[in-house]
Amino acid sequence: MDEQGQGRLRLPHEIDPKEAAFDSLSVEYDERYALTAVGCLQRRQVWERIAGLFPPGGRILELGCGTGLDAQYLAGLGVQVLATDIAPAMAAVAARRCRELPAVTVRVLAAEQIGTLADTFDGVFSNFAALNCVLDLNAFAAALAARLRPGGRAALVLFGRLCWWEMAGYGLRGRWPEATRRLRPGVVRASIGSGREVAVRYYSPAQVRRAFVPWFRLEAMAAVGFAVPPTYWDGFVRNRAHLLALGQRLDGVVGSLWPCNRFGDHTLYVLRRR
């Protein structure tokens, strides 16, 4: 992690609540989410859909890099990566994971702070709902447009608004607040495990389009986890390899097709800078 990523020692009242929540999650994030059977399958879906998206030798800005798994993958595609995360502890894990990859630089930076960057980039990537923590998507889209060169692509993975696994799983048990939480307008408190909560917005495809359309053209939209369930189902499905394999094949076939691309755990949006 470079010197800009370390920053000065801050007082408790200066720390963003999101930063504190994800800092505390960093020690268990891989075990709890990223490296579970379901987490690995969903990440593979994203990787398969973004392979070839960014120009070899290009410079890519990653937002919400977490523990660095995607930065590793992107470096393997032959691009330079500035991997950023709001949480210093997450960024530290990513820096350790990528320490032997000269193509990867890790910096502590919130997605809302990209306007402070002086550089422009050939592409932008954000995985697994980091941008749902951005509560003003319109302002973010404008700032992102200023950092992305014309013709460059942004591949952004947000929570799906209509996750049928969640609606059916909770709804059949009569747990309607959980079944319908993604449909609530405005800011929602979302659990990230072990009593931690962060403020998020669950954006619909129409809201994403409206936020980005002044500067971007939507090129593709695909569900990530239409047939493969959310990670909190991992304990149920991890020993049912045949079901996971079937779900993975099904997602590869129908994930980009309407209406299936509206009903995934996550949604991948591929946008091109006008």
Side-chain angles (χ1 to χ4, degrees):
M1 183 158 38
D2 63 17
E3 67 279 2
Q4 295 182 62
Q6 295 183 30
R8 67 178 177 86
L9 181 65
R10 287 168 297 162
L11 299 174
H13 70 273
E14 296 180 296
I15 298 175
D16 189 309
K18 291 181 293 187
E19 175 187 321
F22 286 110
D23 259 348
S24 65
L25 180 62
S26 63
V27 295
E28 58 179 313
Y29 179 80
D30 281 352
E31 180 182 0
R32 190 181 186 98
Y33 296 109
L35 298 182
T36 62
V38 167
C40 288
L41 287 180
Q42 287 202 11
R43 192 176 301 274
R44 190 183 305 166
Q45 290 182 22
V46 175
W47 288 353
E48 289 174 352
R49 293 192 184 278
I50 68 169
L53 200 65
F54 302 121
R59 193 154 185 248
I60 306 304
L61 172 63
E62 183 186 2
L63 302 170
C65 69
T67 58
L69 289 167
D70 292 312
Q72 274 188 319
Y73 171 76
L74 290 168
L77 297 180
V79 301
Q80 301 288 316
V81 185
L82 175 59
T84 66
D85 199 280
I86 189 175
M90 283 284 196
V93 176
R96 288 195 297 271
R97 174 165 273 145
C98 299
R99 62 183 177 272
E100 296 181 4
L101 297 173
V104 178
T105 301
V106 180
R107 183 181 300 180
V108 177
L109 187 79
E112 297 92 334
Q113 297 173 325
I114 58 174
T116 66
L117 295 173
D119 299 339
T120 57
F121 298 86
D122 300 296
V124 177
F125 177 67
S126 182
N127 207 0
F128 292 138
L131 297 185
N132 287 92
C133 294
V134 172
L135 304 184
D136 187 342
L137 199 61
N138 294 308
F140 168 79
L144 183 69
R147 302 274 63 81
L148 185 59
R149 295 176 184 135
R153 289 187 173 96
L156 311 177
V157 181
L158 282 74
F159 276 128
R161 187 76 178 274
L162 301 170
C163 176
W164 77 266
W165 279 98
E166 193 161 284
M167 291 187 291
Y170 285 124
L172 290 173
R173 288 178 282 171
R175 295 172 59 177
W176 300 112
E178 293 98 328
T180 60
R181 65 183 174 185
R182 301 195 191 198
L183 299 176
R184 296 176 201 161
V187 178
V188 178
R189 301 296 300 180
S191 171
I192 58 172
S194 301
R196 310 175 190 92
E197 288 187 337
V198 293
V200 303
R201 287 183 186 269
Y202 293 105
Y203 294 106
S204 69
Q207 289 172 319
V208 173
R209 284 197 192 93
R210 283 197 298 270
F212 285 92
V213 72
W215 304 277
F216 293 87
R217 182 176 72 254
L218 180 64
E219 287 193 333
M221 175 179 161
V224 177
F226 169 73
V228 171
T231 51
Y232 54 80
W233 283 74
D234 189 76
F236 176 77
V237 298
R238 73 175 64 166
N239 294 322
R240 296 169 170 82
H242 62 292
L243 292 179
L244 284 175
L246 177 61
Q248 188 76 342
R249 289 196 298 272
L250 185 61
D251 277 349
V253 173
V254 305
S256 61
L257 302 179
W258 185 90
C260 299
N261 60 1
R262 265 76 171 166
F263 287 89
D265 182 29
H266 294 84
T267 304
L268 166 65
Y269 299 90
V270 177
L271 304 124
R272 185 187 284 269
R273 179 72 166 91
R274 296 184 188 277

